Amino acid sequence: MGIYKTEHFGIARKIVANMTSQSWEEIPHAAMGYEADVTDMMKVIKQLNEGVTDKTKKISINTVMLKIICEGLKAAPKMNTTIKFNRKLVRGTVYYHDEINISMPMILHTGEMMTVNMRDMGNKSLSEMTAAIHDTIRRANNSDMNEVMFEVSLDNTLKGLKEGKVLQTLRRLYGSKMPGKHKVHTLSGSEKKKYYSIPKSERLTKLDIEQGTTTISNIGSVCRDFMGTTFLLEIIPPQTTAFCIGPIQKKSWVVKDENGNDKVEVRQIITITSAIDHRALDFGDCVPMIEKFNEIFRNPEILLSWK
């Protein structure tokens, strides 16, 4: 079997590989899937966008689902936490956060995947969330991803050094900046000066890439024809939760007729897969979120009050 191509990790892949490896090495994952009938909700979303001609102002199903998950997290605040755990001493601390900062993967115009921090999404209306997402996309398309991610990587490395992780720091610096095929290439000279002359309001900075309080991915926006369900999710430490929004799929579903009797119909169904860090959370901690989901999906008109 011959090898026809060799590809060395760039900085983005290095960060993803490192964080996901740490996730599966340290975190005991527990996952569940929630299925929701969004047939009636899609009609409400259409109503929300009536008369809106500017594509950047249209409220998408992705934004609505982000808002629904935020409402679920507000109902179950222990799910919007980070954790610090020392296994050797069996000591752990859970930190509750007053903002819901979403680590959200998105695909850039270059085809690159980037995870950005959408800050304070729990307190935003649907219109404000839409504006924040489009502004982040706009700034991302003006950004050099290697520069942004190297800033974050360097910041994390220096933080580790302050915590006494000297060996880890030396290994990371050697792996990223030593000459050779694995070196991370960043801007230098006039190119670097020109790039950093761009106002921060026009490009991403490390604040846009730093860890949020939870991660929410949407495979439905990446592949609408995906016919399946996500079963495994990486929880990115120190977060304690991760979510994945699936594509809308037509399925047989039991509903009530006008007389209150069960009948089977073809409905539009969406799945929300969630993973929890079992060191910090039990299923009981998630029940308030599930109850909030039930309330919203059974009464989709509530979306009109969120605009």
Side-chain angles (χ1 to χ4, degrees):
M1 180 173 63
I3 297 173
Y4 74 93
K5 183 180 179 181
T6 299
E7 184 176 277
H8 300 295
F9 283 6
I11 188 166
R13 202 72 252 159
K14 286 186 177 187
I15 291 175
V16 170
N18 182 64
M19 297 301 290
T20 52
S21 295
Q22 184 183 353
S23 172
W24 290 108
E25 287 169 1
E26 296 180 359
I27 299 175
H29 290 63
M32 59 185 169
Y34 178 96
E35 289 189 320
D37 180 354
V38 296
T39 309
D40 295 331
M41 191 180 80
M42 295 304 293
K43 298 173 184 176
V44 177
I45 294 175
K46 186 176 181 180
Q47 189 177 344
L48 285 170
N49 288 315
E50 284 180 358
V52 180
T53 55
D54 186 342
K55 289 183 178 180
T56 65
K57 294 184 178 180
K58 284 192 174 183
I59 296 170
S60 68
I61 179 66
N62 177 63
T63 304
V64 169
M65 294 304 296
L66 290 178
K67 177 67 172 174
I68 290 172
I69 293 173
C70 284
E71 292 301 308
L73 292 174
K74 285 193 278 187
K78 197 172 183 180
M79 299 187 73
N80 187 51
T81 56
T82 51
I83 184 178
K84 186 175 183 180
F85 179 70
N86 186 318
R87 189 174 183 183
K88 292 180 180 178
L89 299 177
V90 199
R91 292 177 180 174
T93 305
V94 176
Y95 301 92
Y96 290 71
H97 300 280
D98 56 5
E99 289 185 0
I100 298 174
N101 296 330
I102 300 173
S103 294
M104 186 180 78
M106 62 169 58
I107 297 179
L108 307 179
H109 69 293
T110 59
E112 296 175 281
M113 179 74 76
M114 169 64 64
T115 298
V116 295
N117 187 339
M118 301 304 305
R119 295 180 179 276
D120 198 20
M121 294 296 264
N123 291 319
K124 287 181 170 61
S125 66
L126 289 171
S127 296
E128 289 170 337
M129 292 174 78
T130 298
I133 291 170
H134 281 285
D135 181 65
T136 300
I137 293 172
R138 177 186 66 81
R139 291 186 293 117
N141 289 333
N142 292 333
S143 302
D144 185 299
M145 290 300 104
N146 277 354
E147 285 296 316
V148 182
M149 298 196 82
F150 185 72
E151 282 184 47
V152 176
S153 179
L154 182 60
D155 193 60
N156 289 338
T157 300
L158 294 176
K159 183 180 178 182
L161 183 59
K162 290 179 181 179
E163 294 174 352
K165 300 176 182 177
V166 179
L167 187 58
Q168 172 185 286
T169 301
L170 293 174
R171 284 172 174 168
R172 287 186 176 184
L173 290 174
Y174 177 83
S176 63
K177 298 308 286 183
M178 287 297 289
K181 55 192 176 185
H182 294 286
K183 180 180 179 180
V184 173
H185 296 281
T186 53
L187 298 176
S188 61
S190 60
E191 286 188 343
K192 185 171 184 176
K193 186 177 181 180
K194 181 180 178 182
Y195 175 72
Y196 282 100
S197 69
I198 300 172
K200 290 184 179 180
S201 60
E202 299 301 310
R203 59 180 171 85
L204 298 183
T205 69
K206 66 180 182 180
L207 294 177
D208 297 295
I209 309 297
E210 287 177 344
Q211 287 288 331
T213 58
T214 189
T215 297
I216 305 178
S217 305
N218 187 344
I219 60 170
S221 65
V222 177
C223 182
R224 293 184 180 181
D225 294 329
F226 174 69
M227 302 300 291
T229 302
T230 301
F231 294 103
L232 292 176
L233 295 172
E234 293 97 356
I235 300 167
I236 303 303
Q239 297 173 3
T240 60
T241 55
F243 298 86
C244 183
I245 303 164
I248 296 174
Q249 301 179 60
K250 290 182 178 181
K251 293 185 178 182
S252 299
W253 202 255
V254 178
V255 297
K256 299 288 185 183
D257 64 17
E258 61 275 8
N259 298 315
N261 299 315
D262 289 343
K263 66 174 182 178
V264 176
E265 282 187 0
V266 175
R267 307 285 286 183
Q268 291 176 291
I269 307 300
I270 203 165
T271 301
I272 304 173
T273 304
S274 57
I276 60 172
D277 184 334
H278 222 325
R279 297 174 301 177
L281 294 160
D282 296 313
F283 179 73
D285 298 309
C286 308
V287 170
M289 178 190 72
I290 295 168
E291 292 175 340
K292 177 58 70 172
F293 285 173
N294 290 340
E295 176 188 334
I296 294 168
F297 287 114
R298 290 169 184 168
N299 303 281
E301 296 81 12
I302 194 173
L303 269 62
L304 298 174
S305 67
W306 293 346
K307 187 175 181 181

